[in-house]
Amino acid sequence: MGVVVIGSGIAAVAAVQAMRANRYEGEVTLVTNDEPPFYYRPMLPSLIDGSKTMEEILLTVDPVADFGAELVKGTVQGVNCAAKTVILSSGDVLGYEKLLVASGSSPSFPQIKGLDAEGVFTLRTMKDALGLCSYLQRTDVSKAVVIGAGLVGVRTAEALRRRGLAVTLVERLPTILYPVVDQVGAAIVASRLQKAGLEVIVGARAEQVLCSDGKVAGLRLASGEIPAEVVVVATGVRPNVGFLEGSGVDCRRGILVNPYLQTSQPDIYAAGDVVEYLGLLEDEPIVSPLWTTAVATGKVAGTNIAGGKMRCEEFLPVMSAAEIGGLPVIAAGLVAMEGNGYEVFERREGENYRKLVFKGDTLAGVLFVGEVEGAGVYVSLLKAQKRVGGLKRQIAARRLTYAQLVGSSGDD
Amino acid sequence: MDQVYVRPERCMGCRSCEIACAVQHSRSKTLFGAIREEPLPQKRIFVEAAEKIRMAVFCRHCDDAPCLAACITGCLYRDEKGFVRRKIERCIGCWSCIMACPFGVIIRDRRKRTAVKCDRCHELDVPACVAACPTRALVLVDVDALPKEKRRQVVLREAEGA
Ligand SMILES: Cc1cc2nc3c(=O)[nH]c(=O)nc-3n(C[C@H](O)[C@H](O)[C@H](O)COP(=O)(O)OP(=O)(O)OC[C@H]3O[C@@H](n4cnc5c(N)ncnc54)[C@H](O)[C@@H]3O)c2cc1C
């Protein structure tokens, strides 16, 4: 009995840590089909270019050794809310007093033919990364196509390029990295990628993965064919909620939760990529498949499972930092938003680009490309939805410092 | 735990703390050595001036540190003294910590492409910035020893910049 957690990602780990920090001393069982169970998922591209080894990206905390959790390897197939049990595909059944669903998300695929060819990969799990690496070791692989120019696609494409492959990045939308960066930012970053030797094709729909002898031979676009021996699909993720169908746990895209991260079943909580929750800047609930969200929701869910009463902060659709083509990028909120009651301040000097989007008196979007120092001050203002009133022009004109915020408190 | 506090009304903006910080994080650990180093050592404390205020801004080693929660590599960790520090070999320069820090006090080492932040001079009893401050605008306070009410006042005073 005790607490059962589905998943072993960072949301699950943060939750277990919070349970123990809040003096829950009962049993905690993590069920996972990830192997190895605990690692830094965002570091997977570092395996592709060989800059890190598998050992180097294993998680630095061990929920089993550090928090006395038990680990069960297996795939959850269903949840019986009435009996309070979790059913594994092996047929095993685990009873729970409280259940945390932290099952994360999985790659979603475009509706195209040829995805079953040998040489088509995604990059979500350690298994995916190791599979891709061993495929690349075959000498006849020299050209790769990455479908989808989101953060994962771009970072994967760069890693493949650093490994020495000829890489084409294909994006359906007119700009890369939407909605993390706007058009201007995308152009700056794309030109860096091109300088690094990547081919970037935007506004192009992948039509079919070409095969010969069951193996990838290329990708067909409306505009022509790109020869390649490897295709990596990076067209976004979808919450893993399939096993909850018919369980009585309400889902839309993700699992719907209240501010304490309880689902429609009071003994069942959810955390991480799998959650759909109130957006800070939207009127609708949204998913927020981000590391920071997974850590934050894990902590809230774990605290509440342990008997606490902690509220979850509202979700942001974008909250990202990365170095792309050697250029730092930090983005939060609705960066690519224009018009419609949004007030935009932009400043660009060469590759340094800064954009602030205000809605009324509050920040709704922050984008820094190049010089990113101090971006966190703006991001924290956005997260707090603090009214900046008289400070708005100052904030937009120069670098906002923490001292300015302290100096202006109480007289805006 | 000992915390560094700033009393803005005493800060003259002399930047002694910045220099002491950079020297402490140099290879030679002396001013004359540090200014000749290539690259120059980086400071992790910043004297900021705004209309009605002047103060040093620095890492608070927050209880619920946003940088720590944002780190995707396992580089940032909390040491046995409670300070948020780096396992520098793990940093890949993703800048998630810079995005997360509400004080804006994490910066880049542009050459190594790694994040640079205050380590509270963990090997010293008194951090270099505090030791160097001529007006005692920077002070070391044992927060655990303060009564709760006093603690609240210190924090409030600082937040109000009074
Ligand atoms: C290549 C890559 C780079 C990324 N980079 C960044 C970044 O720079 N910044 C950022 O904020 N985010 C990044 N992300 C996203 C970030 O990794 C995720 O948001 C985060 O890891 C989600 O954590 P989670 O615990 O919610 O889910 P996951 O990490 O997906 O964990 C879910 C776990 O549940 C298990 N599971 C699922 N279904 C079942 C089942 N039925 N039975 C048993 N076990 C199950 C899975 O095996 C997995 O272990 C990146 C993601 C990838 C793939």
Side-chain angles (χ1 to χ4, degrees):
Chain A
M1 289 300 258
V3 177
V4 171
V5 180
I6 303 174
S8 60
I10 198 64
V13 174
V16 175
Q17 193 163 10
M19 286 176 216
R20 294 307 190 209
N22 286 277
R23 300 206 181 76
Y24 170 76
E25 279 156 16
E27 279 175 37
V28 180
T29 306
L30 302 179
V31 191
T32 186
N33 54 15
D34 219 352
E35 181 55 43
F38 309 116
Y39 55 93
Y40 289 96
R41 194 173 302 290
M43 293 290 276
L44 291 174
S46 311
L47 290 187
I48 308 303
D49 65 17
S51 57
K52 297 275 176 201
T53 63
M54 175 170 130
E55 286 69 33
E56 285 169 337
I57 69 166
L58 295 178
L59 215 60
T60 48
V61 282
D62 179 347
V64 176
D66 302 344
F67 307 120
E70 206 183 311
L71 192 66
V72 171
K73 304 218 167 161
T75 299
V76 173
Q77 208 170 39
V79 173
N80 183 333
C81 298
K84 296 179 83 166
T85 55
V86 167
I87 301 106
L88 308 193
S89 58
S90 61
D92 287 353
V93 172
L94 295 170
Y96 63 80
E97 280 162 50
K98 284 182 179 154
L99 176 66
L100 173 64
V101 184
S103 52
S105 48
S106 296
S108 61
F109 293 90
Q111 299 291 321
I112 59 172
K113 274 195 212 145
L115 289 176
D116 52 354
E118 196 187 344
V120 175
F121 290 89
T122 56
L123 190 60
R124 179 69 196 179
T125 64
M126 183 78 86
K127 225 188 262 164
D128 293 340
L130 297 178
L132 175 55
C133 284
S134 81
Y135 198 76
L136 293 176
Q137 266 156 17
R138 295 169 37 160
T139 48
D140 55 345
V141 176
S142 65
K143 298 183 291 306
V145 174
V146 176
I147 308 177
L151 271 173
V152 172
V154 168
R155 286 187 56 211
T156 305
E158 283 193 280
L160 289 166
R161 178 72 201 126
R162 279 195 291 271
R163 203 187 158 109
L165 277 80
V167 181
T168 309
L169 183 59
V170 175
E171 169 59 50
R172 183 171 53 89
L173 298 172
T175 61
I176 64 166
L177 290 170
Y178 182 88
V180 173
V181 303
D182 68 348
Q183 257 182 27
V184 179
I188 296 171
V189 173
S191 99
R192 277 287 187 125
L193 292 177
Q194 280 152 353
K195 262 184 223 148
L198 269 125
E199 179 103 27
V200 181
I201 303 180
V202 292
R205 190 181 288 271
E207 290 191 338
Q208 185 182 345
V209 175
L210 304 166
C211 320
S212 93
D213 288 342
K215 288 188 192 148
V216 168
L219 183 74
R220 194 171 79 214
L221 309 173
S223 55
E225 291 178 0
I226 311 165
E229 298 83 38
V230 169
V231 167
V232 180
V233 180
T235 46
V237 291
R238 234 198 329 241
N240 292 323
V241 293
F243 60 88
L244 291 172
E245 217 180 285
S247 67
V249 174
D250 288 348
C251 299
R252 269 185 4 164
R253 191 175 157 78
I255 301 173
L256 296 169
V257 292
N258 69 17
Y260 305 100
L261 298 183
Q262 272 169 310
T263 67
S264 57
Q265 300 288 332
D267 295 324
I268 303 183
Y269 294 73
D273 277 13
V274 78
V275 172
E276 181 168 336
Y277 178 57
L278 234 61
L280 180 66
L281 308 166
E282 293 86 352
D283 301 325
E284 288 269 287
I286 58 171
V287 292
S288 176
L290 300 169
W291 183 266
T292 41
T293 304
V295 172
T297 51
K299 181 173 179 180
V300 170
T303 301
N304 293 339
I305 286 172
K309 197 116 184 112
M310 190 175 183
R311 282 181 74 94
C312 186
E313 280 181 21
E314 283 147 17
F315 277 10
L316 279 168
V318 171
M319 168 69 93
S320 300
E323 177 145 313
I324 303 164
L327 210 55
V329 175
I330 289 179
L334 306 170
V335 171
M337 207 55 108
E338 319 258 329
N340 263 345
Y342 292 100
E343 195 178 350
V344 176
F345 296 86
E346 289 168 85
R347 205 172 67 190
R348 179 174 177 184
E349 280 161 42
E351 287 184 312
N352 288 321
Y353 176 55
R354 205 179 82 174
K355 176 175 183 176
L356 301 175
V357 180
F358 288 91
K359 179 148 200 190
D361 268 351
T362 55
L363 264 174
V366 173
L367 172 63
F368 282 64
V369 178
E371 302 281 335
V372 292
E373 270 86 350
V377 183
Y378 294 81
V379 173
S380 76
L381 272 186
L382 187 155
K383 282 180 71 175
Q385 285 291 286
K386 201 174 145 130
R387 300 196 161 278
V388 289
L391 265 185
K392 199 192 301 189
R393 302 231 147 250
Q394 272 188 50
I395 289 176
R398 49 190 168 103
R399 186 165 147 195
L400 172 68
T401 61
Y402 181 71
Q404 246 170 299
L405 291 184
V406 175
S408 72
S409 63
D411 66 350
D412 47 82
Chain B
M1 183 174 108
D2 284 346
Q3 285 260 32
V4 179
Y5 279 100
V6 58
R7 299 186 282 186
E9 76 279 9
R10 286 172 171 247
C11 179
M12 304 183 303
C14 71
R15 301 187 185 269
S16 300
C17 53
E18 292 187 348
I19 294 168
C21 178
V23 169
Q24 177 62 29
H25 295 96
S26 68
R27 265 172 283 135
S28 65
K29 301 216 190 307
T30 67
L31 179 57
F32 292 105
I35 55 175
R36 274 191 230 109
E37 283 175 23
E38 176 54 41
L40 283 169
Q42 285 177 282
K43 63 185 182 191
R44 297 113 206 266
I45 185 167
F46 308 89
V47 174
E48 295 179 354
E51 244 163 71
K52 293 177 205 141
I53 196 169
R54 189 161 44 202
M55 64 191 269
V57 180
F58 47 87
C59 172
R60 311 300 167 98
H61 300 272
C62 311
D63 271 349
D64 199 2
C67 58
L68 198 60
C71 180
I72 56 166
T73 70
C75 167
L76 294 177
Y77 71 105
R78 195 178 293 280
D79 76 2
E80 60 292 341
K81 289 186 188 160
F83 305 149
V84 178
R85 288 173 47 201
R86 303 170 302 159
K87 290 181 184 139
I88 193 62
E89 71 286 355
R90 296 189 75 98
C91 182
I92 60 163
C94 74
W95 319 125
S96 297
C97 51
I98 294 184
M99 169 185 79
C101 177
F103 301 102
V105 292
I106 305 180
I107 57 169
R108 287 179 294 151
D109 179 328
R110 290 160 195 236
R111 213 173 41 97
K112 295 194 195 129
R113 299 191 179 285
T114 52
V116 174
K117 78 175 284 299
C118 166
D119 61 357
R120 255 304 300 280
C121 296
H122 59 97
E123 70 280 23
L124 303 179
D125 287 336
V126 177
C129 54
V130 174
C133 182
T135 59
R136 290 186 40 81
L138 291 174
V139 287
L140 202 56
V141 179
D142 182 355
V143 280
D144 302 321
L146 283 181
K148 205 169 181 178
E149 179 50 30
K150 182 76 199 281
R151 193 154 67 201
R152 210 176 64 90
Q153 281 172 10
V154 174
V155 175
L156 271 183
R157 254 163 53 97
E158 183 182 322
E160 283 163 8

